[in-house]
Amino acid sequence: MARCAYCGESAGLMSRMCRDCKSLMARVDELRGRVGYGEFLDGLERTGVAKEKILAFLKADPDGKGSVQDQITAEMTTELMQIMGIAGRQTPQEVKKIRDSVSKDSK
Ligand SMILES: [Zn+2]
């Protein structure tokens, strides 16, 4: 049995994601770019997956491209920058850097 690359639970044979994370990923693709972050989280909760698992899923970064949470935050920030007429684009790596520095300051 392989482990899920996102939540670490058993994912079944020949699969890198468990069923819950697969349905979360499908929902992410459905919601991304269409809703704000609060609605986005609500939408994920509506899959019926446990909240702890949703949080683990959002924070996982199995490919090193930034966690789902950072990717979504980067997309939303980029969109906001465009609306405000600011050139440039936020990357998941930037979001992570900002989040790391914020959490370091609060310690
Ligand atoms: Zn999983």
Side-chain angles (χ1 to χ4, degrees):
M1 288 289 255
R3 293 209 164 270
C4 173
Y6 287 84
C7 68
E9 285 180 20
S10 58
L13 227 53
M14 310 288 287
S15 181
R16 65 189 291 265
M17 275 168 103
C18 67
R19 237 173 40 165
D20 284 348
C21 290
K22 263 184 208 157
S23 63
L24 287 174
M25 191 54 97
R27 190 57 66 93
V28 165
D29 286 338
E30 237 171 80
L31 296 172
R32 75 197 308 170
R34 291 190 204 170
V35 297
Y37 198 68
E39 260 180 274
F40 176 77
L41 286 183
D42 284 349
L44 293 185
E45 280 182 40
R46 255 178 258 129
T47 57
V49 176
K51 191 150 192 187
E52 302 81 68
K53 204 163 183 178
I54 295 176
L55 293 178
F57 168 80
L58 286 174
K59 285 182 188 149
D61 183 9
D63 302 317
K65 289 188 297 194
S67 65
V68 174
Q69 187 171 31
D70 287 349
Q71 289 178 34
I72 297 294
T73 309
E75 283 170 18
M76 287 180 185
T77 309
T78 302
E79 209 170 299
L80 203 64
M81 285 162 75
Q82 279 164 1
I83 291 168
M84 296 190 303
I86 301 167
R89 135 165 228 290
Q90 187 71 269
T91 64
Q93 287 72 27
E94 276 301 307
V95 173
K96 185 167 190 296
K97 225 189 285 169
I98 294 165
R99 191 159 38 76
D100 287 349
S101 68
V102 169
S103 62
K104 244 175 255 153
D105 286 348
S106 63
K107 260 174 210 159

